[in-house]
């Protein structure tokens, strides 16, 4: 619901601040006073095209700020704001601000967070509906008729959308499997060769590093084999170092008790023998590890080069060859088992298509029944609006299979016939603006409790009518406002104005060469005077004032 509107430097409006409440609010004023400016300003805030002609002459920029009651949690608008990271504090309003520079360029903000004009339009569509004689959106746009009928029918379209998604996903999986199978079939000979080559080589994870390390060790062993042999000779036999140390230790052991230094020498000698044994063991171990065997070295090099050559051929690292072998073998297996896999996927497509058709058919039946109820509800509103000869029809027709979608299998459009025997035609093709306005009102009243924006604006929807028809329009606007909606009606009809719970008058004033448009809320006395002016024209008579009093008493 719109709670406040602040306008600065829009055409003739220099500065304007208005507060709004729920119910029916009417806006009146003399022709040319600037009622359309007010709607243009609100439209700018709701994301309409930023026309620099809206900037007041002499001003650098224009600005409009609209305040709305925060959307309830779980509503589509709340989800839209959350998806775009627009934060809302509990109990705080939703603020929309739009600035427009005189030299071009505009900026939009939602709760002081910059946003695109496209997002502003999407948010605005949830907040406000604007209906006028030449409106090509809202109820006149066939693209929205299906959603309006679904809301009227209280239809759960989620099941159809989910079934359609499952069907399309199954079709995509089948198409991908067929494409993969076709590609694999084309590559069968190449796959067979590659798989055989990889299986023959049988690469193992980490094998390349192990072979490279072994090859390097053997190559080092070849270079130092002579030196190692000479060193090890010093450890071998009775004349080797360790044997001589042990002999000396045995002799010293017999003498160690004769002097403390001899005992210390014996301990040092024992440690030397232990170290010499450890050194000999490590030398032998190193010699075995680095043992040079020409045949073994050649085999390691051959295996290493084969692994690296095959990895280069396939454009992978040697350690990736085992995975590649498995992948290529799986592709080859897929050719053999492809028919069985396709059969399962084809069955899944048939099953999901059947589930979608079942859900969409049920939705179509629900729409058809709701269309009949809606037609009857609109027909009941036409006679009081002096559209007795008109007929309304909600067209629900099947779409071709290639156009079935998440919204079902139907095209929905609201059609009317204004004269007996005349064919039904789309709402937007009605020649008479007055008839179109009244049709929109009748349809909106019939759809009043079926969702939509909380704020609805009717722009001169009573143009060209008067008397009983104007009274009927006013009654329906009031009824629509009583259904939990906020209505703002720009009107020239005193009968409509008298139905308002709040009344704003739009007036133009001049000071020298400066012209301004202002808007003010009227009290009870002001309302009587304004309605009297609407009744009498340029000169307000006592008779007009009395008639205005009677109109307001009837409403009261």
């Amino acid at each position: 619901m719109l709670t406040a509107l602040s306008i600065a430097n829009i055409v003739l409006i220099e500065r304007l601040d208005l507060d709004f409440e729920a119910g029916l609010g009417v806006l009146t004023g003399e022709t040319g006073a600037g009622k359309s400016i007010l709607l243009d300003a609100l439209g700018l805030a709701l994301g309409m095209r930023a026309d620099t002609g809206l900037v007041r002459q002499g001003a650098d920029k224009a600005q409009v700020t609209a305040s709305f009651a925060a959307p309830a949690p779980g509503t589509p608008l709340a989800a839209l704001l959350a998806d775009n990271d627009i934060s809302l504090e509990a109990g705080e309003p939703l603020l929309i601000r739009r600035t427009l520079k005189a030299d071009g360029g505009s900026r939009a903000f939602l709760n002081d967070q910059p946003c695109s004009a496209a997002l502003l339009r999407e948010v605005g569509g949830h907040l406000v509906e604007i209906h006028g004689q030449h409106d090509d959106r809202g109820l006149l746009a066939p693209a929205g008729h299906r959603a309006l009928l679904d809301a009227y029918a209280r239809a759960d379209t989620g099941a159809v959308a989910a079934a359609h998604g499952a069907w399309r996903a199954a079709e995509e999986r089948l198409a991908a499997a067929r494409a993969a199978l076709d590609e694999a079939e084309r590559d069968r000979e190449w796959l067979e060769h590659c798989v055989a080559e990889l299986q023959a080589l049988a690469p193992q994870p980490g094998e390349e590093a192990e072979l490279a390390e072994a090859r390097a060790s053997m190559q080092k062993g070849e270079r130092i084999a002579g030196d190692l042999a000479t060193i090890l000779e010093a450890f071998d036999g009775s004349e080797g170092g360790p044997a001589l140390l042990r002999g000396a230790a045995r002799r010293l052991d017999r003498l160690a008790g004769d002097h403390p230094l001899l005992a210390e020498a014996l301990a040092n000698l024992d440690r030397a023998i232990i170290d010499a044994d450890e050194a000999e063991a490590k030398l032998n171990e190193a010699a075995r590890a680095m043992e040079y065997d020409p045949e073994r070295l050649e085999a390691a090099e051959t295996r290493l080069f084969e692994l690296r050559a095959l990895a280069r051929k396939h454009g992978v690292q040697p350690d990736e060859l085992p995975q590649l072998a498995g992948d290529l073998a799986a592709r080859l297996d897929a050719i053999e088992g492809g028919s069985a896999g396709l059969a399962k996927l084809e069955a899944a497509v048939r099953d999901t298509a059947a589930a979608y058709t079942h859900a969409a058919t049920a939705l179509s039946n629900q729409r058809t029944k709701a269309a009949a109820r809606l037609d009857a509800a609109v027909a009941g509103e036409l006679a009081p609006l002096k559209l007795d000869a008109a007929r309304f029809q909600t067209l629900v027709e099947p779409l071709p299979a290639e156009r079935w979608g998440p919204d079902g299998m139907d095209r929905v459009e609201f059609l009317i016939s204004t004269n007996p025997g005349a064919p039904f035609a789309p709402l937007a093709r009605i020649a008479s603006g007055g008839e179109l306005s009244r049709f929109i009102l009748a349809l909106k009243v019939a759809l009043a409790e079926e969702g939509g924006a909380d704020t609805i604006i009717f722009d001169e929807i009573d143009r060209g009518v008067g008397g009983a028809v104007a009274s009927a329009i006013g009654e329906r606007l009031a009824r629509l406002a009583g259904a939990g909606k906020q209505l703002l009606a720009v009107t020239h009809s005193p009968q409509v104005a008298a139905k308002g719970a709040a009344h704003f008058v739009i007036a133009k004033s001049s000071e020298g060469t400066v012209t301004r448009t202002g808007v003010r809320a009227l009290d009870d006395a002001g309302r009587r005077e304004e309605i009297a002016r609407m009744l009498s024209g340029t000169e307000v008579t006592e008779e007009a004032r009395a008639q205005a009093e009677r109109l307001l008493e009837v409403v009261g």
Side-chain angles (χ1 to χ4, degrees), residues 11-374:
V11 193
L12 298 178
I13 299 177
E14 187 173 35
R15 181 73 192 183
L16 180 63
D17 295 289
L18 293 173
D19 294 322
F20 299 94
E21 296 181 355
L24 175 59
V26 295
L27 295 95
T28 64
E30 295 182 354
T31 301
K35 294 184 288 297
S36 62
I37 300 174
L38 197 64
L39 296 185
D40 288 342
L42 181 58
L44 182 66
L46 297 175
M48 300 306 177
R49 188 173 70 87
D51 184 354
T52 56
L54 291 174
V55 181
R56 180 178 172 82
Q57 186 175 2
D60 294 332
K61 70 175 183 178
Q63 179 170 292
V64 182
T65 303
S67 175
F68 291 87
T75 59
L77 177 55
L80 175 62
L81 294 172
D83 289 344
N84 286 276
D85 298 322
I86 304 299
S87 59
L88 283 174
E89 298 293 335
E92 292 296 318
L94 173 62
L95 291 178
I96 297 178
R97 179 162 54 91
R98 187 98 181 268
T99 60
L100 174 61
K101 293 183 178 179
D103 56 359
S106 69
R107 299 186 67 191
F109 302 86
L110 284 168
N111 276 19
D112 289 329
Q113 299 179 56
C115 70
S116 66
L119 176 59
L120 205 60
R121 282 192 297 273
E122 192 173 358
V123 170
H126 288 278
L127 292 169
V128 178
E129 295 178 27
I130 299 178
H131 301 290
Q133 293 188 72
H134 307 295
D135 187 14
D136 59 357
R137 304 173 303 279
L139 294 179
L140 297 189
H145 292 175
R146 182 167 53 198
L148 288 170
L149 179 61
D150 287 343
Y152 184 80
R154 289 179 168 79
D156 179 11
T157 58
V160 174
H164 183 266
W167 179 23
R168 293 302 179 223
E171 287 187 325
E172 290 172 2
R173 289 192 295 270
L174 176 60
R178 282 175 172 162
L181 189 60
D182 290 343
E183 181 182 356
E185 188 63 45
R186 289 193 299 271
D187 297 336
R188 177 193 284 270
E189 184 176 345
W190 177 81
L191 284 170
E192 289 176 341
H193 169 75
C194 291
V195 169
E197 188 177 38
L198 285 164
Q199 288 178 344
L201 188 62
Q204 300 299 316
E207 184 180 8
E208 191 249 0
E210 294 175 1
L211 287 170
E213 184 179 356
R215 174 174 174 261
S217 294
M218 285 189 285
Q219 287 174 335
K220 290 177 183 178
E222 181 182 8
R223 292 194 304 270
I224 66 174
D227 291 336
L228 276 176
T230 300
I231 294 169
L232 285 170
E233 285 178 0
F235 287 84
D236 288 341
S238 59
E239 298 300 323
L244 294 176
L245 287 174
R246 290 187 184 90
R250 286 194 296 271
R251 291 187 179 91
L252 185 57
D253 186 49
R254 293 194 295 272
L255 304 174
D258 295 337
H259 194 280
L261 291 176
L262 294 176
E264 292 178 9
L266 178 60
N268 291 336
L269 192 56
D270 287 340
R271 286 195 297 274
I273 291 170
I274 292 171
D275 290 341
D277 288 342
E278 291 181 355
E280 182 181 12
K282 290 178 179 178
L283 285 168
N284 284 319
E285 184 178 350
R288 287 191 298 272
M290 302 176 69
E291 182 180 5
Y292 171 63
D293 181 346
E295 293 183 359
R296 184 165 163 251
L297 175 59
E298 182 179 2
E301 287 182 335
T302 300
R303 176 73 175 175
L304 181 62
F305 295 155
E306 287 177 345
L307 285 172
R308 289 176 174 174
L310 195 56
R312 285 194 300 272
K313 176 180 177 180
H314 289 285
V316 297
Q317 295 299 317
D319 281 347
E320 296 172 351
L321 286 173
Q323 179 64 42
L324 177 65
D327 293 343
L328 295 181
R331 287 175 59 184
L332 192 58
D333 290 342
I335 298 176
E336 306 300 331
S339 298
L342 286 181
K344 291 182 180 179
L345 292 173
E346 287 168 350
V349 170
R350 289 193 298 272
D351 290 344
T352 52
Y356 170 78
T357 303
H358 177 77
T361 300
L363 178 59
S364 296
N365 294 336
Q366 194 173 3
R367 284 170 173 163
T368 300
K369 294 176 181 177
R373 296 198 306 272
L374 179 59

